[in-house]
Amino acid sequence: MDQEKLIRFATNSASDKEETGEVIDWIEESEEHQQEFNRIKNLWSYSGFLNFDELVRNDQMQDPKKTRQGKTISLKILPYAAALILAFVVGGFSFYFLKDSLFKPEFAFNEIRVPLGQNTEVILADQTHIWLNSGATLSYPSAFENKVREVRLSGEAYMEVHHDEERPFHVVTSDLTVNVLGTSFNIEAWKNSGTINVTLVKGKINLQDNEGKLMAVLSPNENATYSTKEKRLGISKVNTTFYTSWKEGTIVFRNEKLGDISQKLERWFNVKIVFEDESVKELRFTGSILRNKPIDQIMEILKYTSNVGYSIDVKEQEPNIIHLKKLPM
């Protein structure tokens, strides 16, 4: 593999779709290539864009057998999937156009698992547009032949559902179902998180339990927070930007605990955050984080705006580990 191609791919400067596909195919060729990708990705995320080339060059001087490699995404399709999928990378996003099934729809069922550190856009066969956040999993049929268009979600997604009065669109999660006709909304349903958040931007949606019982009807600019443990639903008026900005590459937070913010950072940057002092989790912050900034710059901002110190344990084939601790006054 041409090293210049890998560098262009790693720095999001590859504009040729064929070249991008060639790099992705090379990375997915073998486990060895994927492990090399993890090693370079960790070095890249630690150093940032500016000294990426120099860091990799120095690393290769120590071991000439190592090959430079860039960021990629993986799309996992179940063996019996029958969708024709065209994929290409757009910035930090992967983009999928899903065409009608080539075989009978009852035998065609697809699953997308978004790797940590990546986002994915999907256009379904009915022209519904879905943005999937890092770590999310979406299951869907290749073609909607039934009276109900149903998909299943674990994780976070923003959806612009194509309007079809005769075929409502259902998003099924572990504990509730979102029922829509045509609308835009954000849903956050992480497995074992204890809460499900649904924020309506445009249109109208119904929230049901998974047995079909109506729980609530949301209007635009409303957020529903459902406690899966207490079976309690709360609805409030919100600024939808705080819930949807992630698809534009920004995390916006307002008076949030660092412990909660760290969970988003772990998914966005594919790192592991360890709190050496539990009290640091309770610190609250308001602000925004850009996805294209390296994680060490974000940690520096945290350090200089609070009495929190950090260290980064760089791993070769595993996510980097960030240690946070309280600094002496």
Side-chain angles (χ1 to χ4, degrees), residues 145-164:
E145 298 292 339
N146 299 322
K147 293 183 179 180
V148 174
R149 295 172 289 165
E150 181 177 294
V151 301
R152 295 180 178 272
L153 174 72
S154 174
E156 184 170 20
Y158 180 84
M159 302 188 180
E160 293 180 353
V161 177
H162 182 72
H163 183 77
D164 188 341

Side-chain angles (χ1 to χ4, degrees), residues 33 76 103 111 151 162 172-173 178 196 256 262 266 276:
H33 290 176
K76 182 172 183 180
F103 305 102
E111 182 177 89
V151 301
H162 182 72
V172 180
T173 71
V178 181
I196 297 176
E256 287 190 39
S262 68
E266 286 181 331
E276 304 292 347

Side-chain angles (χ1 to χ4, degrees), residues 68-69 83 104 116 175 236 258 262 316 326:
R68 281 186 280 188
Q69 199 170 144
K104 293 182 179 180
L116 296 177
D175 291 88
S236 60
L258 185 55
S262 68
E316 288 193 358
K326 204 168 187 178

Side-chain angles (χ1 to χ4, degrees), residues 6-18:
L6 293 175
I7 290 299
R8 284 195 293 272
F9 185 73
T11 57
N12 287 327
S13 59
S15 58
D16 187 280
K17 295 179 184 178
E18 291 185 3

Side-chain angles (χ1 to χ4, degrees), residues 258-292:
L258 185 55
D260 295 330
I261 296 173
S262 68
Q263 295 177 11
K264 298 178 181 179
L265 295 178
E266 286 181 331
R267 289 191 290 264
W268 264 41
F269 295 97
N270 190 21
V271 297
K272 175 69 175 178
I273 297 179
V274 176
F275 288 87
E276 304 292 347
D277 187 335
E278 287 294 313
S279 65
V280 175
K281 289 184 178 180
E282 302 301 316
L283 297 177
R284 292 181 177 271
F285 294 86
T286 296
S288 61
I289 295 173
L290 298 179
R291 182 187 181 88
N292 63 359

